[in-house]
Amino acid sequence: MRIAVWHHLPSGGGKRALYGHAKGLIERGHELTVWCPQTADRDFLPLSSLTTEHVLPVEPGNIPAGVRYLLKAANAKTLALERMLGMKAHAARFAALVNKGEFDVWCVNSCRWFYTPFVGRDLTVPSV
């Protein structure tokens, strides 16, 4: 089975669990391809040691000028909105790659910024 995997995990238990899942699936003959943003931890239990791991950048989203004026400067709300818009665009790019990549299923893990990731919105491939 060809499985597309996405994560935005820091080091720790979640990454350890994903590594164990990936290793077990590969040992059972499944083909995994992994994607993550550049802000995911790729040094702790690197998935690239098991399979291909693509880094798909997240660029800060452009906040419309009127909204930026309402936020009144660069603060935590501005950063959160920029990250949200950037992650939404990142998720759409990931979905476009997976939807045309002939994957049997996709597996999405947590997002370190938003916990529930945006990536499931545009995917047409079955999920787990």
Side-chain angles (χ1 to χ4, degrees), residues 54-122:
H54 302 281
V55 177
L56 192 59
V58 174
E59 303 297 329
N62 293 321
I63 300 174
V67 174
R68 186 173 293 279
Y69 173 75
L70 293 173
L71 294 173
K72 297 185 181 171
N75 58 29
K77 290 178 184 175
T78 304
L79 175 61
L81 186 54
E82 286 176 342
R83 280 183 172 178
M84 190 177 299
L85 294 170
M87 189 58 79
K88 186 176 177 187
H90 165 88
R93 288 191 307 273
F94 167 74
L97 291 168
V98 171
N99 288 337
K100 71 178 181 181
E102 299 178 13
F103 289 94
D104 299 309
V105 68
W106 56 271
C107 176
V108 172
N109 289 268
S110 296
C111 174
R112 70 188 303 170
W113 292 339
F114 302 109
Y115 303 107
T116 303
F118 291 91
V119 297
R121 303 173 113 182
D122 300 316

